[in-house]
Amino acid sequence: MRRVIARAPARIDFGGGWTDVPPYDEEQGGCVCNLAISRHATATLSECGAGVEIDEDGVTYSAESAEKIVRTAAGSLAAAALKRADMRDVRIATRSYFPSGAGLGGSSAAGVALMGAFAAWRGESPAREDIAERSRAVEVEELGIAGGRQDHYAAAFGGALGLWFEDIVRVRQIPISAQLAAEIERRCIVGYTGRSRISGETITAVLEGYASRDRGVTAALMSMRQLAEQMIRALEEGLLEDLGQLVAQHWQHQRKLHPGITTEEIETVLAAAAAAGALGGKALGASGGGCVLVIAPAERTLEVRAAVARHAQLVPFMVDHAGLTVEKK
């Protein structure tokens, strides 16, 4: 049986998230520094007799067409992707290997995997940035989810990225040596607080603050964009100490965007990590829950990791250098 398997990574956003969301990126220019990690979404595409079949993490749906599934709000991402790509007489199975609503860009990883699978099925070889934009179009135009571009680019390209969002998207792939990757994996600690965040609602609230030119929101976004540029340089030079301090500064601005950005669980984890000697930490993604990132100094990694583990579920990872991969069988 003909089959295509696509895999795309989730990500850690060190800084600049929110500045990739329209209309801020279009009006002010955004900058993001992120890193793809070995927590993946997969999409397996195969033939079926008629109509479409969807299996999302073990929950299945079937209908004569993807449009009928979309209208029921079931299997929404895969169904919306099938509808937009006009795929018929196929079965798609998706799997996510990360906590739900974790702030790791998981839905975008799934979207990139889906778009990659569809392209391979049709014999297409689109550029990675095209796959990223196709994935984002499904979320924004088909599902009406407010959001930016950085997650889709991390999933498509892999590795460490410097991203600039203006009239065009500029991608700088930051070289990560084996030694630096090992240090990142050891000293960058991700903990899941156990509460899923609702990114669409939080993003909408922040966008309303920007649209009304709330001084607190506009100042915070400008500072976050500037810090992301400094983070890119720190990663290029392999300076994790500097990166940790920049992440700490970023969180102070990020939490000013909206009261829902932080939670009691997030603050508890970050306070415990700081008491153990962490250089800095922040909530990942749109926040309001999900995962936190903490960066430890080389000599106190074990202490900081133990402190985070007391209050959050550790999410081990490795650097993903490959980005989207597709296998045809």
Side-chain angles (χ1 to χ4, degrees):
M1 177 185 292
R2 183 184 177 198
R3 189 164 58 146
V4 171
I5 304 171
R7 187 176 80 156
R11 61 93 189 98
I12 291 169
D13 58 308
F14 290 116
W18 299 97
T19 72
D20 62 319
V21 180
Y24 186 88
D25 60 336
E26 300 162 351
E27 297 175 357
Q28 308 296 331
C31 180
V32 170
C33 179
N34 64 24
L35 176 77
I37 62 173
S38 60
R39 289 288 179 149
H40 296 92
T42 64
T44 302
L45 185 62
S46 57
E47 298 169 331
C48 75
V52 297
E53 296 179 7
I54 296 174
D55 173 351
E56 288 193 317
D57 288 315
V59 180
T60 60
Y61 316 92
S62 62
E64 295 176 3
S65 67
E67 289 89 338
K68 291 189 176 181
I69 299 178
V70 170
R71 284 199 296 270
T72 68
S76 55
L77 178 61
L82 285 168
K83 173 178 175 290
R84 188 171 186 86
D86 194 27
M87 300 290 292
R88 300 174 186 275
D89 302 332
V90 294
R91 181 181 191 276
I92 186 74
T94 62
R95 295 292 184 269
S96 299
Y97 298 94
F98 38 74
S100 175
L104 297 172
S107 63
S108 301
V112 165
L114 286 163
M115 293 298 104
F118 297 163
W121 188 264
R122 290 173 163 164
E124 302 171 355
S125 300
R128 291 181 184 269
E129 52 265 42
D130 291 336
I131 290 288
E133 290 297 336
R134 291 181 190 183
S135 174
R136 179 174 182 271
V138 171
E139 286 192 355
V140 175
E141 298 174 19
E142 298 294 332
L143 297 175
I145 299 172
R149 288 183 163 88
Q150 66 143 320
D151 298 352
H152 306 276
Y153 278 80
F157 280 85
L161 298 180
L163 298 164
W164 285 265
F165 302 95
E166 296 159 342
D167 53 337
I168 61 171
V169 180
R170 292 188 290 123
V171 181
R172 181 188 299 174
Q173 294 182 283
I174 303 170
I176 300 292
S177 67
Q179 180 180 356
L180 179 57
E183 281 297 288
I184 289 172
E185 292 160 7
R186 186 171 72 92
R187 296 172 56 185
C188 292
I189 302 159
V190 176
Y192 179 52
T193 63
R195 180 194 297 180
S196 300
R197 86 281 187 266
I198 306 175
S199 62
E201 293 180 6
T202 310
I203 290 171
T204 299
V206 174
L207 292 179
E208 289 174 352
Y210 169 69
S212 65
R213 295 303 187 266
D214 179 284
R215 290 185 179 181
V217 171
T218 57
L221 289 169
M222 180 180 295
S223 295
M224 291 160 62
R225 183 185 66 197
Q226 294 170 345
L227 287 166
E229 300 217 7
Q230 296 176 51
M231 291 173 182
I232 293 167
R233 292 193 291 272
L235 266 183
E236 288 175 331
E237 297 174 15
L239 302 175
L240 290 190
E241 299 284 328
D242 290 0
L243 181 64
Q245 293 166 7
L246 292 168
V247 165
Q249 295 177 47
H250 190 281
W251 176 239
Q252 296 309 310
H253 297 290
Q254 182 180 338
R255 65 203 301 272
K256 294 176 183 177
L257 291 174
H258 187 269
I261 294 291
T262 192
T263 66
E264 181 179 349
E265 293 89 347
I266 290 170
E267 294 299 332
T268 296
V269 173
L270 293 179
L279 297 167
K282 65 183 286 290
L284 294 174
S287 190
C291 286
V292 296
L293 164 69
V294 171
I295 302 181
E299 68 279 6
R300 294 193 62 83
T301 300
L302 293 178
E303 294 90 338
V304 174
R305 186 176 297 275
V308 174
R310 284 195 293 272
H311 303 283
Q313 175 189 341
L314 295 181
V315 182
F317 69 90
M318 297 177 68
V319 175
D320 180 287
H321 299 277
L324 171 67
T325 60
V326 180
E327 180 183 3
K328 298 180 181 179
K329 294 188 174 181

